[in-house]
Amino acid sequence: MTTSTVLLIIVSALVAFALSFYQYLFKAKKRSLVFFFLAFLRFITLLSVFLLLINPVITKKDFETVKTPLPVLLDNSLSVKELGQDSIAKILAEKITRNNSLKDKYNVQLYTFADGFETGKEPDFTGKQTHIDQAVQNLKQFYRNTSYPVVLLTDGNQTIGNDYVYSFQQNTAVYPVVLGDTTVFPDLKINQLNVNKYAFLKNKFPVEVFLQYNGNKTVNAVFSIQQGNTTLNKQNITFTKDKKAQSVTILLDAERVGVQTFRAVISSPEEEKNKYNNIKNFAVEVIDQRSEVALVSSVNHPDLGAIKRAVESNQQRKVTILKPNEIKSLNDFNVLVLYQPDASFKGLLDLNKNAGLNTWIITGTHTDFNLLNQYQQMLSFKMTSQKEDYLADYVSSFNLFATQNIGFEQFPPLEHPFGTVKLSAGTNTLLQARIRNVATENPLMVFSESGASRRAFLLGENIWKWRLETHIKNKSYDEFDIFIDKTIQYLATNSKRKSLTVNNESFYNSGEPIAITAQYFNKNYEFDENARLTIIVKGKDSDFSKTYDFLKGNNEYKVNMDGLPTGKYTFTVKENTSNTTLNGSFEVLDFEIEKQFVNPDLTRLQQTAGNTNGEVYYPLQIEKLIDFLSKNDSYKATQKVKTTKSPLIDWLTLLIILCFSLAIEWFTRKYNGLL
């Protein structure tokens, strides 16, 4: 409160006293106790009014003692239970959190962590993953700019996240309490297995396996990959104390369509404490991407052989060269390649109106352009009888599928009748035609898409020269063959859009998040933000059945179904307003990452303690740790002064006093007949 405010209060008190004296005592004929009481009440009233007008700011100081935080991080993952340390971990946590000397010195708080981070939760040691780094990041948010110790009760085996060794702050001393037996037991382990999620039918796919051995003597092991009761691959592997890790790469055959489940197994005559980590299940979804291509031509030309060889360089494709009148049904084919269609193609074009096969049309000097103008509207041809050689210019803005310029500008020219070609809406040009050094407005290769129908056009013959030029340049046909294969791939893919789409993996490892996303589109194929999606999950080999609701995210709906037991499942996604449904399936493989450990990760815990000037302790040393923290002078409670300023007009008490003084004064005057 300033000096001027104090002076105003003093003057206000004098003025209130003078007015009260003048009104009740100065003119009074007899100064009775009633007049003195009334004068006092008037003084209180006037002084209260003057104080409210002056409205001084009242400053209040409160002293608060702040203790140093002592977070106790307890590992709540399944690995602690697997190591037989769950009951010990609970006892240690209780000893620390209930110790009176620590509670007097620190603000002790117990946190549990696994794949999440929680406070106040009773540990049950069922966490499917261990994410120590996430727990550290949460502490950083809770205790910013604070120097404090951390007690870390864990086995140190982290399964997800960044390396926690370097996660703690410089002003945080970490005291790990190691849970688990640090004695080294002989142990064989499949440390990591890498495999693609998808493979093509009749192809081979690689499996890369990293094997690890803990022990000091030489061990002869057998590694095998099995499917059901069949052993697909088997080999002997030797480990020594100097060679404790080996990698194995195996090629397996993709023989059946669908999700194929395999089992990698390593075994030896040695007695092991943990044999769960000797087996690892994995799965691959085998896709049948075979495409039957009908290459139809009424003329003999070298282009036919070049196209057939290029397409069949992909083992998933088969090309059949036919005459137009040899095709009676299109049910056996996925893609039509019409080479220089003429009048004899009329019946085939009529047949394809009903079949709706995606088509690649190659035109040249033997093409009937009037027939093409009659059966398609994507390109309008006005050709002359004059022939012209057209060079290619690559259009970099082409975006229907991923492609690259393989040197089209240096390829020999294609021969084609001279004329003009007009494009309709919905076309996308890959190659533009050029006559010597003069660019034209005509395309050389163009793609179109209308609903579920896709077409490709190549305007020129002698493409066999392009394939030959590629081999001369690169000593390989690969670049040209890949270019042709992408064209066929585009045509072989069904582009019809569904109102409800669902994205899910074919298989999940147990313990991993099982997330499924979905999108629902209205009749204009716009994302519907008001859709109501549910999913019913049922076990194929069990009575399991559960319904989940999708939650709306950013342009998608998402559901998490963590905790599903191993097995095969089918699901039905339903949009409840339109009753649109979509079915699918997935499999949960038996793989508990938290059961893979035999020992605690003592090395990383020691590194963590060393980086933060802390120290590693063991369960039998818990009293030593408590005593050290209790007597540690580096952490002392601090006293903070909390200053609050509030204007007098906010005081409700002063308003109540003013009201009471006025009311009592009026009642006293009324009672004594002074009104």
Side-chain angles (χ1 to χ4, degrees), residues 379-439:
L379 276 67
S380 177
F381 297 94
K382 290 184 180 180
M383 298 290 107
T384 67
S385 59
Q386 180 182 348
K387 298 179 183 179
E388 187 60 75
D389 290 334
Y390 291 95
L391 296 167
D393 283 331
Y394 178 73
V395 179
S396 59
S397 59
F398 179 82
N399 57 8
L400 287 183
F401 54 87
T403 186
Q404 62 181 356
N405 189 350
I406 60 174
F408 293 106
E409 290 80 2
Q410 285 74 45
F411 283 168
L414 301 183
E415 190 176 14
H416 195 267
F418 181 78
T420 59
V421 181
K422 291 185 179 180
L423 303 177
S424 64
T427 57
N428 202 319
T429 302
L430 174 63
L431 300 176
Q432 196 74 29
R434 170 168 49 90
I435 301 175
R436 288 176 288 278
N437 293 325
V438 179

Side-chain angles (χ1 to χ4, degrees), residues 30-100:
K30 184 180 179 180
R31 298 180 179 178
S32 63
L33 290 175
V34 174
F35 287 99
F36 278 103
F37 181 64
L38 290 172
F40 172 73
L41 292 175
R42 181 56 60 88
F43 171 77
I44 296 297
T45 300
L46 292 173
L47 181 60
S48 299
V49 172
F50 290 149
L51 288 176
L52 289 173
L53 292 174
I54 297 171
N55 192 26
V57 177
I58 308 301
T59 301
K60 182 182 179 182
K61 292 184 178 181
D62 293 322
F63 294 92
E64 178 184 6
T65 300
V66 180
K67 297 179 183 179
T68 301
L70 177 59
V72 180
L73 298 180
L74 175 59
D75 190 341
N76 195 35
S77 64
L78 184 62
S79 63
V80 174
K81 187 175 182 178
E82 288 297 316
L83 293 175
Q85 300 293 304
D86 48 336
S87 58
I88 296 175
K90 283 186 178 181
I91 294 172
L92 296 177
E94 288 181 2
K95 278 189 176 182
I96 296 173
T97 55
R98 295 183 180 181
N99 186 272
N100 291 327

Side-chain angles (χ1 to χ4, degrees), residues 1 4-13 47-57 648-649:
M1 194 180 300
S4 59
T5 303
V6 174
L7 291 176
L8 283 174
I9 293 174
I10 294 173
V11 171
S12 299
L47 181 60
S48 299
V49 172
F50 290 149
L51 288 176
L52 289 173
L53 292 174
I54 297 171
N55 192 26
V57 177
L648 192 66
I649 199 170

Side-chain angles (χ1 to χ4, degrees), residues 591-607:
F591 177 72
E592 292 281 0
I593 192 170
E594 290 292 332
K595 293 182 180 180
Q596 301 296 310
F597 307 106
V598 178
N599 299 106
D601 195 339
L602 180 60
T603 302
R604 274 189 167 77
L605 293 177
Q606 289 174 334
Q607 289 177 344

Side-chain angles (χ1 to χ4, degrees), residues 72-303:
V72 180
L73 298 180
L74 175 59
D75 190 341
N76 195 35
S77 64
L78 184 62
S79 63
V80 174
K81 187 175 182 178
E82 288 297 316
L83 293 175
Q85 300 293 304
D86 48 336
S87 58
I88 296 175
K90 283 186 178 181
I91 294 172
L92 296 177
E94 288 181 2
K95 278 189 176 182
I96 296 173
T97 55
R98 295 183 180 181
N99 186 272
N100 291 327
S101 60
L102 289 180
K103 291 165 71 175
D104 291 340
K105 184 179 180 65
Y106 300 96
N107 179 21
V108 183
Q109 181 65 56
L110 176 65
Y111 300 99
T112 58
F113 68 90
D115 47 355
F117 182 81
E118 296 174 291
T119 179
K121 177 184 176 181
E122 183 70 20
D124 53 12
F125 305 100
T126 58
K128 300 296 184 180
Q129 300 271 12
T130 304
H131 198 172
I132 300 177
D133 176 68
Q134 183 189 61
V136 176
Q137 300 307 321
N138 279 283
L139 289 186
K140 289 181 180 179
Q141 296 297 320
F142 292 164
Y143 308 115
R144 293 182 178 178
N145 303 320
T146 305
S147 178
Y148 59 94
V150 176
V151 177
L152 181 60
L153 299 167
T154 181
D155 57 13
N157 293 310
Q158 179 171 263
T159 58
I160 56 174
N162 297 324
D163 192 346
Y164 63 89
V165 171
Y166 306 101
S167 298
F168 290 91
Q169 300 178 117
Q170 293 294 327
N171 58 350
T172 304
V174 183
Y175 299 95
V177 179
V178 183
L179 300 177
D181 192 348
T182 57
T183 304
V184 177
F185 298 96
D187 182 56
L188 290 169
K189 176 182 179 182
I190 299 177
N191 196 40
Q192 187 174 341
L193 189 148
N194 298 327
V195 64
N196 292 329
K197 291 185 177 181
Y198 305 99
F200 294 129
L201 183 66
K202 302 303 180 182
N203 280 5
K204 291 183 180 292
F205 61 92
V207 180
E208 185 181 33
V209 186
F210 293 91
L211 306 172
Q212 184 176 318
Y213 166 65
N214 287 336
N216 296 319
K217 64 179 183 178
T218 301
V219 171
N220 294 317
V222 177
F223 175 75
S224 62
I225 292 184
Q226 305 167 4
Q227 185 177 27
N229 296 324
T230 305
T231 300
L232 304 178
N233 184 278
K234 187 175 182 180
Q235 53 186 287
N236 297 321
I237 298 176
T238 301
F239 295 95
T240 66
K241 67 176 183 178
D242 298 322
K243 190 178 182 181
K244 295 186 176 183
Q246 293 195 43
S247 64
V248 178
T249 301
I250 299 164
L251 290 176
L252 298 180
D253 293 319
E255 297 179 342
R256 293 191 298 273
V257 175
V259 178
Q260 304 299 319
T261 304
F262 304 90
R263 184 169 63 256
V265 181
I266 185 169
S267 60
S268 74
E270 291 293 323
E271 191 68 29
E272 296 182 57
K273 185 177 180 181
N274 180 10
K275 289 194 174 183
Y276 185 86
N277 57 13
N278 290 23
I279 301 173
K280 190 163 188 178
N281 294 301
F282 65 99
V284 173
E285 183 175 5
V286 179
I287 302 171
D288 185 2
Q289 203 186 32
R290 289 179 300 180
S291 299
E292 294 286 344
V293 179
L295 178 53
V296 186
S297 175
S298 61
V299 299
N300 294 322
H301 198 282
D303 283 352

Side-chain angles (χ1 to χ4, degrees), residues 570-616:
T570 61
F571 65 83
T572 300
V573 177
K574 180 180 180 181
E575 202 288 311
N576 295 309
T577 303
S578 63
N579 289 325
T580 304
T581 60
L582 194 147
N583 299 320
S585 64
F586 62 87
E587 183 176 354
V588 179
L589 303 178
D590 181 16
F591 177 72
E592 292 281 0
I593 192 170
E594 290 292 332
K595 293 182 180 180
Q596 301 296 310
F597 307 106
V598 178
N599 299 106
D601 195 339
L602 180 60
T603 302
R604 274 189 167 77
L605 293 177
Q606 289 174 334
Q607 289 177 344
T608 303
N611 291 343
T612 59
N613 296 320
E615 187 177 348
V616 171

Side-chain angles (χ1 to χ4, degrees), residues 175 458 507 529 548 630:
Y175 299 95
L458 176 63
F507 51 88
E529 296 186 351
Y548 301 85
S630 301

